[in-house]
Amino acid sequence: MTKAIIISVGSEIVSGHIKDQNAPFIASKLSEIGYHILSQMIVGDISEALQSALQVALHKAAVIVITGGLGPTRNDITRENVADVCNVTLRLDEESHTHLKRLTNNTHTTKYVNNVKQAMIPEGGTVIPNFSGTATGFFIHSHNADIICLPGVHSEMKLMVEDWVLPHLLSKSGKRKKRCVRVLKTFGMSESALDLKVRGLIE
């Protein structure tokens, strides 16, 4: 079973100001197609923290999904740090750039100048289109692992997972895998007593 790790980027998640909705969604979708989720990691908007988490993930998993940190501000650090870890530079993707122009309408605004950053992807990477927002996602293979980077906006991330990520992973596996889950509902006994009852079934 292919191993996967999910990394959520955002100081607002680490501090507890918002709840991470992305990692549970991604984990459930990957589990459905047969991936084994090793861990879900949360890091703040700090380069050292993200690079450290990514290095750990690269040693343990074949698929790494990162959400967040693809916005236009200085605090959005994902693309730069993924490029650093992969030892490549960033390049401007022209199709994403054109998409940004259509969304912003006015190429002379300060807002647009800042948003150009969102059309940058690591050299050798593949764009994951974001048709409902400005943050371009991307996929890159490095250190024998597939790194998939998606925006932190939940609605945008969901569409990109369903429209691009899942079809891509399924095409690589050659066939659709299925993970079956059986839920046992119990009541009236302690956890330790229950363990004795179901131990043979689990084994």
Side-chain angles (χ1 to χ4, degrees):
M1 188 176 288
T2 305
K3 297 174 181 178
I5 288 177
I6 302 163
I7 303 174
S8 300
V9 181
S11 294
E12 67 278 14
I13 304 173
V14 174
S15 65
H17 287 129
I18 69 168
K19 183 179 179 180
D20 182 14
Q21 300 180 46
N22 294 343
F25 173 82
I26 295 167
S28 67
K29 291 297 181 181
L30 294 189
S31 295
E32 285 175 7
I33 62 172
Y35 283 80
H36 175 51
I37 311 301
L38 289 181
S39 62
Q40 299 177 20
M41 307 167 71
I42 302 174
V43 299
D45 301 316
I46 303 168
S47 293
E48 294 83 356
L50 176 54
Q51 290 200 21
S52 177
L54 189 50
Q55 292 286 5
V56 169
L58 285 168
H59 282 92
K60 295 184 176 181
V63 173
I64 302 162
V65 183
I66 303 175
T67 65
L70 296 181
T73 74
R74 287 178 295 175
N75 290 332
D76 293 300
I77 59 169
T78 296
R79 60 176 55 79
E80 295 89 343
N81 285 282
V82 170
D84 284 348
V85 170
C86 296
N87 198 29
V88 296
T89 58
L90 292 171
R91 66 172 177 85
L92 180 68
D93 180 72
E94 291 299 340
E95 287 190 19
S96 301
H97 194 196
T98 300
H99 174 66
L100 275 173
K101 290 178 182 178
R102 286 198 300 266
L103 288 178
T104 55
N105 291 321
N106 184 352
T107 61
H108 300 292
T109 64
T110 301
K111 175 184 177 182
Y112 173 76
V113 171
N114 290 340
N115 278 1
V116 172
K117 174 182 176 180
Q118 295 182 287
M120 305 290 288
I121 69 167
E123 191 67 46
T126 300
V127 166
I128 303 177
N130 181 358
F131 298 114
S132 58
T134 59
T136 299
F138 60 86
F139 158 84
I140 187 169
H141 184 81
S142 181
H143 298 76
N144 296 315
D146 291 340
I147 304 172
I148 298 168
C149 295
L150 303 169
V153 178
H154 188 65
S155 59
E156 297 175 17
M157 179 278 305
K158 283 181 65 176
L159 288 175
M160 294 164 78
V161 166
E162 291 165 349
D163 293 345
W164 195 96
V165 175
L166 295 180
H168 171 77
L169 294 177
L170 287 169
S171 69
K172 291 193 66 175
S173 67
K175 62 179 180 179
R176 185 177 184 88
K177 300 176 182 178
K178 191 172 184 179
R179 180 172 181 261
C180 297
V181 177
R182 174 169 291 178
V183 178
L184 304 178
K185 296 184 178 181
T186 69
F187 66 95
M189 67 177 72
S190 68
E191 186 176 357
S192 57
L194 176 61
D195 178 61
L196 293 175
K197 291 280 189 182
V198 302
R199 184 172 297 172
L201 175 62
I202 293 173
E203 291 171 354

